[in-house]
Amino acid sequence: MQIWEQGHAGAAAAGLTERQGAVLERALGLLVEGGERALTTAGVARAANCSKESLYKWFGDRDGLISAMIAYQAGKVRTVEVEAGKLTAETLRQHLVAFARDLIDVLSGDVSLALNRLAIGQASREGAGLGRLLQERGRRPIGRRAAALLEAGRKAKLLAFDSADEAYGTLYGLIVSDMHLRMLLGEDAAALKKEFSPRAERAVEAFLTLHGVKG
């Protein structure tokens, strides 16, 4: 159920229809299964049971397809748009924990690991084009959505910080720590997954200790 919900969220956040999201899900699957060479227009069209013309109409060229894949994947990290006046300390904590869990789930998934490994490999051979896309279409949109939630918390006088972006950087570091690097280097994800939910809870509690306003 969570995988379907995250996929639906990814499509919505990227401004896509469910059908377009399903096509991108298959494209991401091809990337995981066969690497960059498997990610051809013909291969995606065949795997997703759609025409190449539809792919070009929806996403443009191959770079456009990859950009859409990254945005779709980033959209799986869900954040809730809330008005400051409707936030309480408990609902803010719940939203932050849900965000932390989604972030860990997405970063630890085969798709994100494959995209990051590909970007690292390309940076040493062909420049940092994919790395820039991951920043611009992936991490930054996630950061903007999370910063908006933190800003709502500040307006509700539940959080205190000078910069929402810097506060998000702190939250991100507490959530991810060295986990993503360990997975990129090949550490067994199954063993690490046992830590995911407690890690999310601990990260949010540590963040609230640093930036929460005591009532």
Side-chain angles (χ1 to χ4, degrees):
M1 177 65 72
Q2 183 174 4
I3 293 173
W4 182 88
E5 289 175 348
Q6 285 186 323
H8 185 73
L16 303 168
T17 66
E18 287 190 31
R19 174 59 176 149
Q20 291 167 338
V23 170
L24 292 178
E25 194 71 49
R26 287 302 302 131
L28 291 167
L30 286 177
L31 177 66
V32 171
E33 294 163 9
E36 184 182 11
R37 291 182 180 179
L39 200 61
T40 64
T41 303
V44 173
R46 184 167 52 251
N49 194 28
C50 71
S51 68
K52 289 194 288 185
E53 290 75 17
S54 292
L55 287 181
Y56 284 117
K57 178 182 176 181
W58 292 337
F59 310 117
D61 59 12
R62 186 170 179 273
D63 287 345
L65 174 63
I66 293 173
S67 178
M69 290 164 60
I70 293 169
Y72 170 78
Q73 185 70 2
K76 295 178 183 179
V77 183
R78 296 163 291 183
T79 52
V80 179
E81 293 184 11
V82 292
E83 297 178 12
K86 295 182 179 180
L87 273 179
T88 67
E90 179 55 25
T91 57
L92 175 62
R93 189 193 71 80
Q94 290 173 0
H95 291 324
L96 290 174
V97 169
F99 168 79
R101 287 174 176 161
D102 270 5
L103 182 62
I104 293 172
D105 282 343
V106 169
L107 288 179
S108 66
D110 290 341
V111 168
S112 290
L113 292 174
L115 282 168
N116 278 273
R117 286 172 179 145
L118 180 58
I120 292 168
Q122 283 188 357
S124 62
R125 303 191 315 269
E126 307 163 14
L130 181 55
R132 283 194 296 272
L133 277 177
L134 284 170
Q135 287 284 348
E136 293 168 5
R137 301 283 283 163
R139 182 168 179 172
R140 285 175 187 162
I142 292 171
R144 284 194 295 270
R145 296 197 303 270
L149 175 59
L150 298 181
E151 189 61 49
R154 178 165 67 171
K155 288 180 179 178
K157 302 188 186 307
L158 299 170
L159 296 174
F161 49 78
D162 294 326
S163 164
D165 290 338
E166 290 181 5
Y168 171 66
T170 299
L171 177 62
Y172 183 93
L174 289 168
I175 295 168
V176 177
S177 185
D178 66 341
M179 179 205 69
H180 199 215
L181 177 60
R182 289 159 62 191
M183 287 188 164
L184 286 171
L185 293 175
E187 189 164 337
D188 182 19
L192 287 173
K193 283 183 179 180
K194 297 176 182 178
E195 304 176 17
F196 286 179
S197 186
R199 175 188 285 270
E201 296 273 357
R202 289 195 303 269
V204 170
E205 291 305 320
F207 178 79
L208 292 175
T209 298
L210 291 170
H211 292 290
V213 175
K214 303 301 180 184

